[in-house]
């Protein structure tokens, strides 16, 4: 059994930065990655049209100012290959590859009370480590739907995050199940190239205009010259993004002023639409005015009235922003193509797959060559629960999270000493520019390890009281928002059958969270117990 200071699980933004930080400090570390290459989300999600929904300059590391200046982003919202290349460049520059074990799955991790260390089993080797750092990602475990009769279908079926290598969709008959971010990007991208496209929609999303564009040399130079100012703004913002709003209440503004603000934001594109007024995420009545504007945008683009109606969410049930924002420029226009067909999965259910497609409860059948499952992920907790993790006194993580996925500050787990769950449940994570949240967590990890070395501590453990208090604060902050109006969302875990339903992300904002972290550092972590 190999002896190490730390073992990191996952080679995405979080795992690579954690490895770089610990390596720089002289700690012996290994990073285990199940995939054949690094990149995390940007290794696995290689489907057509895959791109980020956070602006490129913002969705990047701040710790390396040289890379910040050297790297040239080509588009406002970078595509998957460009982000993957960026991470590969970072790993190469900081000489991380010798410490990375690809094609290596972590199967079990058990805390040993006697040695005060984690005993970790992988598909390749076993390790004894002082610190276990879970960088498994918020959206990394695919939610694969088990369809009746799947075994008799003669075509191709795969999840969007497991797109086959060198697989071409051109001139094929295709069905896409799911209309979240991945589904919308895939549909928008492949529609002009396929022979037939069936979109299997359970419930429609509000689709924001992204405003995709290339980055000019002038913009590139201006952004790089002002990076320190931008980073400070991001670190103290709500979402970790440079989004501005007009302030005030949508209900106090005149109809003309509301429309002007909405239209200006729509024309610019991006997530700032929700910042047009201060009460869009708190008042259902105010939120409805934004939904009405977005509904008009759908009818302006989609020619067929029935299709337009099916693509429009029910304003009373789905306030905009209560589910993760989806952004795309061409999605709605694709439904004007004669070979694109929308299947409403609320009025008909799937009875069974057939050798050539699907049969519905209404008796209708559709044929296709390829079924793409854009059915999302077991968010925030799924990847960690796939590993057999047990803490103090043999307590298993699956048992701990059976009733509520609590996690102190979204990073620490009571009864699981020396374990860090980067961007775990109860952190800003998926309600933020996740790179900002990752860097905040890495800074916290570095602070705690330094404190332990300074004081001679062997282990730390989050107190149960602190964990419960944090969980309560996460729920209390979400309480007065529109997020509580839509519980059929992966924010709540409701997309996974049998999963405990609880609101998972911290909504207090990146800036507020950073201040709470700073106060904990100053007070030497009152919510943690060291020994």
């Amino acid at each position: 059994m190999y002896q190490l200071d730390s073992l990191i699980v996952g080679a995405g933004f979080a795992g690579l930065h954690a490895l770089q930080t610990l390596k720089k400090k002289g700690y012996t570390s290994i990073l285990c990655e199940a995939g054949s290459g690094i990149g995390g989300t940007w290794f696995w999600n290689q489907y057509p049209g895959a791109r980020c929904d956070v602006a490129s300059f913002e969705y990047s590391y701040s710790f390396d100012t040289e890379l910040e200046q050297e790297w040239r982003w080509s588009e406002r919202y970078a595509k998957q290959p460009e982000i993957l290349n960026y991470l590969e460049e970072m790993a190469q520059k900081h000489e991380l590859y010798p410490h990375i074990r690809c094609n290596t799955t972590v199967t079990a991790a058990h805390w040993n009370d006697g040695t005060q260390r984690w005993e970790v089993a992988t598909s390749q080797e076993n390790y004894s480590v002082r610190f276990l750092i879970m960088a498994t990602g918020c959206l990394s475990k695919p939610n694969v739907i088990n369809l009746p009769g799947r075994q008799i279908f003669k075509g191709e079926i795969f999840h969007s995050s497991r797109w086959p290598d060198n697989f071409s969709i051109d001139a094929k008959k295709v069905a896409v199940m799911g209309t979240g971010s991945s589904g919308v990007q895939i549909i928008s991208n492949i529609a002009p190239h396929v022979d037939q496209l069936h979109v299997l929609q359970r419930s429609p999303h509000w689709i924001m205009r992204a405003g995709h564009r290339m980055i000019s040399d002038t913009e590139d130079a201006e952004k790089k010259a002002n990076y320190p100012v931008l980073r400070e703004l991001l670190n103290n913002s709500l979402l970790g993004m440079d989004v501005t709003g007009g302030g005030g209440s949508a209900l106090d503004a005149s109809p003309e002023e509301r429309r002007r603000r909405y239209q200006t934001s729509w024309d610019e594109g991006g997530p700032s639409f929700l910042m047009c007024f201060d009460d869009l995420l708190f008042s259902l009545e105010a939120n409805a005015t934004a939904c009405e504007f977005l509904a008009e945008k759908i009818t302006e683009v989609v020619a067929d009235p029935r299709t337009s109606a099916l693509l429009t969410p029910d304003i009373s049930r789905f306030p905009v922003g209560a589910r993760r924002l989806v952004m795309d420029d061409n999605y709605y226009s694709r439904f004007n193509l004669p070979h694109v067909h929308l299947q409403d999965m609320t009025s008909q259910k799937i009875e069974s797959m057939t050798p050539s497609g699907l049969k519905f409860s209404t008796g209708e059948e559709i044929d296709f060559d390829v079924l793409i499952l854009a059915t999302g992920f077991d968010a925030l907790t799924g990847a960690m629960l796939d590993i057999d993790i047990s803490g103090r006194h043999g307590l298993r993580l699956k048992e701990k999270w059976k009733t509520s996925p609590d996690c102190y500050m979204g990073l620490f787990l009571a009864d699981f000493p020396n374990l860090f769950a980067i961007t775990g449940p109860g952190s800003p994570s998926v309600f933020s520019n996740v790179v900002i949240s990752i860097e905040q967590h890495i800074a916290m990890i570095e602070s705690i390890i330094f404190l332990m070395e300074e004081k001679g501590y062997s282990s730390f453990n989050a107190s149960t009281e602190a964990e419960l208090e944090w969980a309560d604060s996460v729920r209390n902050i979400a309480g007065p928002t529109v997020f509580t109006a839509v519980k059929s969302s992966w924010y709540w875990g409701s997309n996974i059958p049998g999963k405990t339903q609880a609101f998972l992300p911290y909504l207090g904002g990146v800036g507020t969270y950073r201040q709470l972290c700073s106060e904990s550092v100053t007070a030497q972590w009152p919510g943690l117990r060291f020994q």
Side-chain angles (χ1 to χ4, degrees), residues 201-480:
Q201 173 188 274
R202 184 183 62 177
S203 58
H205 281 260
W206 297 109
I207 314 296
M208 300 289 105
R209 182 175 177 274
H212 295 308
R213 56 174 169 76
M214 304 302 291
I215 294 172
S216 68
D217 289 342
T218 300
E219 182 181 3
D220 178 66
E222 290 176 349
K223 289 287 188 182
K224 287 176 177 176
N226 290 286
Y227 249 135
V229 175
L230 175 63
R231 297 298 189 190
E232 183 67 17
L233 183 153
L234 300 180
N235 286 333
N236 293 285
S237 65
L238 176 67
L239 302 175
M241 303 179 211
D242 184 10
V243 292
T244 57
S249 169
L251 301 178
D252 293 338
S254 67
E256 294 77 18
E257 172 63 10
R258 279 201 303 266
R259 172 166 288 278
R260 184 192 67 78
R261 287 202 201 177
Y262 290 149
Q263 187 64 52
T264 298
S265 180
W266 178 266
D267 292 340
E268 170 61 21
S272 62
F273 187 87
L274 286 177
M275 303 294 110
C276 283
F277 295 97
D278 291 340
D279 55 354
L280 294 186
L281 292 178
F282 295 92
S283 165
L284 291 174
E285 187 179 358
N287 191 283
T289 66
C291 294
E292 289 163 2
F293 175 86
L294 296 174
E296 290 179 16
K297 292 301 178 185
I298 300 173
T299 58
E300 288 175 7
V301 175
V302 182
D304 177 57
R306 177 182 177 277
T307 303
S308 176
L310 290 175
L311 289 169
T312 304
D314 183 340
I315 293 176
S316 65
R317 294 179 56 215
F318 298 112
V320 61
R323 296 182 291 179
R324 185 170 174 89
L325 280 184
V326 180
M327 300 194 307
D328 192 86
D329 288 341
N330 301 309
Y331 179 69
Y332 290 127
S333 65
R334 298 309 191 209
F335 290 92
N336 292 331
L337 298 174
H339 63 280
V340 177
H341 314 286
L342 182 62
Q343 300 287 339
D344 178 22
M345 303 307 294
T346 58
S347 62
Q348 57 182 353
K349 308 297 181 185
I350 294 174
E351 183 174 299
S352 177
M353 295 205 76
T354 68
S356 60
L358 281 174
K359 181 179 180 180
F360 297 105
S361 56
T362 57
E364 180 186 359
E365 294 189 26
I366 57 173
D367 294 336
F368 44 81
D369 309 309
V370 181
L371 173 59
I372 302 167
L373 300 175
T375 45
F377 301 88
D378 186 348
L380 287 120
T381 60
M384 284 185 62
L385 290 175
D386 262 357
I387 302 171
D388 179 18
I389 301 176
S390 61
R392 294 173 61 204
H393 314 302
L395 175 64
R396 300 183 71 209
L397 182 60
K398 288 181 180 178
E399 189 63 30
K400 174 182 174 65
W401 277 354
K402 191 173 183 179
T403 55
S404 182
D406 297 337
C407 188
Y408 174 52
M409 299 193 82
L411 181 62
F412 315 106
L413 293 168
D415 292 316
F416 290 78
N418 290 17
L419 183 148
F420 302 97
I422 299 178
T423 60
S427 72
S429 57
V430 294
F431 190 66
S432 71
N433 171 359
V434 74
V435 180
I436 297 287
S437 293
I438 285 169
E439 290 196 315
Q440 178 62 40
H441 275 184
I442 302 298
M444 293 161 71
I445 292 171
E446 188 176 9
S447 169
I448 287 167
I449 292 178
F450 176 79
L451 177 65
M452 292 176 69
E453 295 296 325
E454 184 182 48
K455 301 290 187 181
Y457 297 131
S458 62
S459 66
F460 76 87
N461 187 60
S463 73
T464 301
E465 295 78 15
E467 186 178 71
L468 291 173
E469 286 177 9
W470 184 259
D472 286 342
S473 72
V474 170
R475 307 326 178 227
N476 290 337
I477 291 170

Side-chain angles (χ1 to χ4, degrees), residues 47-82:
Y47 57 80
R51 70 163 79 220
C52 191
D53 56 5
V54 177
S56 301
F57 288 106
E58 301 165 26
Y59 194 80
S60 61
Y61 291 121
S62 68
F63 72 88
D64 188 335
T65 55
E66 285 185 1
L67 182 61
E68 197 175 64
Q69 294 299 317
E70 293 167 357
W71 190 261
R72 176 62 163 90
W73 294 106
S74 64
E75 296 186 65
R76 182 187 185 187
Y77 298 103
K79 294 176 182 174
Q80 175 268 333
E82 190 168 11

Side-chain angles (χ1 to χ4, degrees), residues 31-38 43-44 100-106 122-125:
L31 188 157
C32 295
E33 166 56 50
S36 60
I38 70 166
F43 170 83
W44 293 106
I100 298 173
R101 304 291 181 265
C102 289
N103 298 307
T104 303
T105 302
V106 176
T122 80
S123 58
Q124 303 296 329
E125 296 154 334

